[in-house]
Amino acid sequence: MATVIHSAPAGQASAPPAPERPRRRAKSQYPYWFYLPAGVVYGVLFLVPTVIAFYFSLTRWGLFSQEFIGFDNFVQFFRERALVTGLKNSLIYGVLTSALKVVLGLLFAVMLTSQIIARGWLRSVVFFPVLVSTIGVGITFVVLMDPQEGLINEALALVGIDGPGWLTDPDLALYSVALVDVWKGVGLATVIYIAGIVSIPRDYFEAAAMDGAGAWQRFRNIILPLARPATVTVIILSLIGGLRSFDLIWAMTRGGPGFSSDVIASVIYKQYQAGFWGLSTAGNVILFLAVALIVVPLFWALNRKQVEM
Amino acid sequence: MRRASRYWMGGAALLLTAALFIVPFVFIVLMAFKDRQQAARLDFSWPASNNLVSNIVEVVSARDYMLLTAFVNSTILTVASVAGMVILGAMVAFVLQRRQSRWNGAINLLVLSGLIIPPAVVPTIWVLQGIGLFRTLGGLILVEIAFGLAFTILLFQAFIATIPRELDEAATIDGAGPIRLFFQVVFPLLRSVIVTVIVVQSVFVFNDFVNPLYFLPGDENATVQLTLFNFQSQFSTQWHLLFTDILLITIPPLLMFLFFNKKIVEGMTAGAVKG
C-alpha cells in the first residue's frame, strides 16, 4: 500500500504569514501562535490555491506546457454552448433546490414541532438521508427512476400515469437530479427550522390562542417572521451547496444526456480530466464569481432586514 | 367530525412522508439480498433467495480486496482529518473569541470566506505536487482539514463565548500557562461541541467523494466512496453487487446516526441557527 501519512503540516514555504508576531509585552494567556498550525494548513491548501487560481485561469495550462494567454479561457468558456449550459444549469439547480428546501423544510418543521404521533422517529427518518453517501443515493435513484422498470414509474402506472424518462429526457434530467438533491438535503433544512421554531417563546402562541388565532394565522404571523434567521441560514447554505453541486449529478447523469444536466462543477471536472487545466481553473474562477455575486449580496440583504425587524 | 378528519389527514401525511424517505433504503437492502438475475429486473420485490452473504464475499474480494483497502483508507482519512479539525479549529476559535485585537476582523473574514468560496481544484493539486503530497493520504487529510476548518471554527467560537472568562483567570492564578489552560481547562469543557463536530464532520469526510476523486486518484488508494464509483462501471450489469456495496458503506454512518442521533440534531441547531 503506497499510502504515507504525514501528520506534520509540511511545506511551510509559501504560507502567507499567520497573524503571529513576537511581542515584548507581558505574555498573554491567549497566544497568537495558536493560530499558526491552522493558519499554515488553511493558507497553503486553501488561500494560496484560491489566489493563484486567478493567475492560472489566464494561462493555457496542460500536462506539458504553460503559457500566458490573457482572457482567452473565459472567451472560450462563454463561446461554447456546452459550457454556458453548465453555468445556467448551476444557477437553476441552486435556486430550485434552495427554494424547495425552504418550503418543504418549513412545512416538515411545522409538522414535526406540532403534537403528532411518532414525532421523534419521524424527525430521524427525515434527517437520515443527510448522512448517507451521496453517490449511493445517486445510484439508488438512477435505478428507481428507470423509465421502464423503475419503482417510481411503476407506482405512477398503478394510478394510470405514464411516467416520463426522468433521467433520459434532456429537458427533465437536471430537474430530476434536483429533486433527489432536495430529497437528500431537506432533512438539514428541517432541523434548522425546528431549532428556529422551538426557540420562539411560548407566550406568543398563548397570546395568539387567547386572541382566537387559527393555525394559519399562527403560522403566518408568528412562525414565519420569527423563524427568519433559520430561513436565512437555509437559503444561504443550500444556495452555496447547490451552486457547487457535483457528486450527485456526476453519479446520476454525468452531465448528460448530451450536456443537458452539466453544471459548472462537472464542467470543471471534465476539463481537468481532458487535460485543459487552464480552462478548468477558469471554470473555477467563474464559479467563485457566481457564488460571490449571488451569495454575498443576498447574505448582506437578508441580514440587514433582520436587524431592522 | 372535523377533528377525526384532521387526524386522518395527519396520519396520511405521516405515512406518505415516512414512505417517501424509507422506501429507497428498503430498496437498497432488498437489492443486496437478491441474486444477479433477480436484481437485474430492478423491481421492488421480495428476494427469491437469500444471497446477502455470497454477495458480500464477492464485493469484498473484488479487484484484489479493494473494498477492504478502501475501508482502511477511509477510516484513517476520517479519524485523522477530524482530529486535526477539532484541535486546530478549537485553538483558533479559543484565541479568536478571547483576545480582541486588530487581527480579529481579518480572521473572521477568512473564516467566512472559507465557508463560501468554492475551493480551486487544479491549483490545489499544483500546490500538493509542489510539496510532494499529491496522491498521498496525508495530502488528502490536510486538504480535508483545510476545507473543514471554517465550519468547525464557527461552531467552536459560538460555544466558547458561553464559557466564563473567570475560569481562565482562576487557572492562570493557579499557574497554568496557555497550553495547559487550553488543553486541560478549556478543551475538556468543549466536550459537547466536540462531539457535534466529530459526528458532523466525520460523516461528511467519510461520505466525501469530490476531494478523494481529485486529490487521491488511483485504485490502490481508493476511499469507500470511490469504490462505488469504480464498481459502477464494472458492475453496471451486476446490480446486486453494486447495491451490496452501497449497503456496506452506509453502515458506518448508520451506526454513527443511531448512537448520536440526538446529538447531531442538537448540535446542528445550536451551531447553525446562531450564525
Side-chain angles (χ1 to χ4, degrees):
Chain A
M1 209 168 66
T3 47
V4 188
I5 302 150
H6 301 264
S7 51
Q12 275 101 341
S14 50
E20 184 252 21
R21 61 166 56 175
R23 293 220 174 167
R24 294 284 148 245
R25 272 202 258 137
K27 270 199 189 159
S28 168
Q29 282 296 79
Y30 315 115
Y32 284 131
W33 68 259
F34 268 37
Y35 291 143
L36 192 62
V40 170
V41 176
Y42 187 74
V44 173
L45 291 171
F46 185 79
L47 293 181
V48 169
T50 300
V51 173
I52 57 172
F54 285 92
Y55 168 74
F56 280 139
S57 70
L58 303 177
T59 64
R60 180 178 295 126
W61 182 29
L63 272 173
F64 304 108
S65 62
Q66 194 190 337
E67 176 194 353
F68 189 84
I69 53 167
F71 286 96
D72 280 9
N73 283 326
F74 293 93
V75 172
Q76 195 187 343
F77 190 98
F78 285 106
R79 270 213 193 119
E80 273 190 45
R81 264 205 28 235
L83 305 187
V84 178
T85 310
L87 181 59
K88 203 182 74 192
N89 283 346
S90 278
L91 297 179
I92 295 175
Y93 192 93
V95 171
L96 185 66
T97 51
S98 158
L100 281 175
K101 282 176 191 173
V102 167
V103 174
L104 292 176
L106 184 56
L107 198 76
F108 284 145
V110 169
M111 201 171 92
L112 294 177
T113 46
S114 60
Q115 299 300 325
I116 56 167
I117 38 162
R119 194 170 69 177
W121 185 78
L122 274 173
R123 283 187 187 182
S124 311
V125 164
V126 173
F127 188 70
F128 182 53
V130 174
L131 299 173
V132 175
S133 149
T134 311
I135 303 295
V137 167
I139 293 173
T140 307
F141 272 90
V142 167
V143 174
L144 294 177
M145 285 179 162
D146 188 277
Q148 269 85 46
E149 287 117 340
L151 179 66
I152 295 180
N153 278 0
E154 289 204 334
L156 287 178
L158 284 183
V159 288
I161 301 172
D162 195 12
W166 298 100
L167 299 168
T168 47
D169 182 344
D171 294 332
L172 218 62
L174 183 74
Y175 300 98
S176 305
V177 181
L179 283 183
V180 177
D181 189 313
V182 172
W183 178 87
K184 184 174 171 0
V186 75
L188 189 59
T190 307
V191 165
I192 293 172
Y193 268 122
I194 287 177
I197 293 175
V198 169
S199 65
I200 297 173
R202 304 310 303 169
D203 321 10
Y204 290 104
F205 292 106
E206 279 158 23
M210 213 83 94
D211 293 341
W216 168 250
Q217 281 169 317
R218 277 203 307 274
F219 173 76
R220 177 72 192 76
N221 297 318
I222 301 177
I223 294 179
L224 208 53
L226 291 180
R228 201 191 151 92
T231 308
V232 173
T233 309
V234 172
I235 292 178
I236 300 287
L237 278 184
S238 48
L239 203 54
I240 295 173
L243 290 172
R244 287 185 191 181
S245 183
F246 171 71
D247 40 10
L248 193 64
I249 288 164
W250 195 248
M252 294 186 70
T253 65
R254 302 270 149 95
F259 301 102
S260 59
S261 66
D262 253 328
V263 290
I264 298 190
S266 65
V267 167
I268 292 172
Y269 183 64
K270 285 177 177 174
Q271 300 300 335
Y272 163 70
Q273 261 194 326
F276 299 120
W277 297 346
L279 191 57
S280 171
T281 307
N284 235 312
V285 169
I286 291 170
L287 177 57
F288 170 83
L289 293 177
V291 171
L293 282 177
I294 297 169
V295 173
V296 173
L298 191 69
F299 190 71
W300 187 71
L302 289 174
N303 277 322
R304 201 180 49 143
K305 275 209 191 116
Q306 195 176 314
V307 174
E308 280 167 9
M309 198 176 72
Chain B
M1 184 46 195
R2 257 190 74 96
R3 213 180 162 77
S5 81
R6 200 198 278 169
Y7 273 115
W8 195 85
M9 293 262 290
L14 279 183
L15 276 179
L16 192 73
T17 351
L20 204 62
F21 283 96
I22 286 173
V23 166
F25 293 108
V26 175
F27 184 74
I28 295 173
V29 176
L30 289 179
M31 287 293 268
F33 273 93
K34 294 178 184 176
D35 64 15
R36 185 173 177 170
Q37 278 81 23
Q38 201 195 354
R41 263 181 266 143
L42 304 181
D43 57 357
F44 194 80
S45 58
W46 197 253
S49 53
N50 176 358
N51 301 285
L52 184 64
V53 176
S54 65
N55 286 349
I56 290 177
V57 170
E58 205 170 332
V59 170
V60 170
S61 57
R63 290 210 191 171
D64 217 5
Y65 294 94
M66 181 166 138
L67 191 59
L68 289 187
T69 317
F71 261 107
V72 172
N73 283 343
S74 278
T75 309
I76 296 173
L77 172 69
T78 308
V79 172
S81 54
V82 173
M85 281 177 219
V86 167
I87 294 170
L88 302 192
M91 285 167 75
V92 171
F94 176 59
V95 177
L96 191 58
Q97 203 282 320
R98 287 295 202 246
R99 184 165 183 173
Q100 294 305 316
S101 77
R102 57 205 164 99
W103 297 106
N104 281 28
I107 294 173
N108 277 319
L109 192 71
L110 283 181
V111 172
L112 265 186
S113 46
L115 214 57
I116 294 174
I117 296 174
V121 186
V122 194
T124 310
I125 294 178
W126 180 79
V127 170
L128 282 172
Q129 274 173 335
I131 56 182
L133 290 178
F134 183 53
R135 285 177 195 274
T136 66
L137 198 50
L140 182 57
I141 290 170
L142 291 177
V143 167
E144 296 283 5
I145 295 176
F147 295 173
L149 268 175
F151 178 72
T152 313
I153 291 173
L154 280 179
L155 273 183
F156 277 131
Q157 214 182 343
F159 192 84
I160 290 174
T162 66
I163 299 176
R165 267 165 182 275
E166 285 77 22
L167 217 68
D168 301 10
E169 283 153 23
T172 307
I173 290 169
D174 286 345
I179 296 180
R180 287 192 46 182
L181 166 63
F182 177 70
F183 284 102
Q184 290 190 348
V185 179
V186 176
F187 199 71
L189 290 173
L190 301 178
R191 214 181 69 183
S192 64
V193 212
I194 290 175
V195 173
T196 307
V197 171
I198 289 177
V199 172
V200 173
Q201 296 289 42
S202 59
V203 167
F204 181 80
V205 174
F206 187 84
N207 283 333
D208 188 16
F209 166 72
V210 184
N211 294 325
L213 180 70
Y214 277 115
F215 306 120
L216 196 65
D219 273 7
E220 73 280 9
N221 348 312
T223 63
V224 290
Q225 302 306 319
L226 291 184
T227 65
L228 267 188
F229 181 65
N230 292 342
F231 284 170
Q232 200 184 5
S233 42
Q234 187 188 2
F235 290 162
S236 58
T237 50
Q238 303 183 47
W239 293 102
H240 60 310
L241 298 184
L242 197 52
F243 278 90
T244 308
D245 191 13
I246 295 178
L247 183 66
L248 287 179
I249 72 169
T250 305
I251 290 174
L254 178 71
L255 289 180
M256 199 83 170
F257 179 63
L258 291 178
F259 277 118
F260 295 108
N261 184 5
K262 279 247 164 59
K263 266 273 173 309
I264 299 172
V265 177
E266 271 169 30
M268 280 314 296
T269 54
V273 178
K274 268 177 206 144

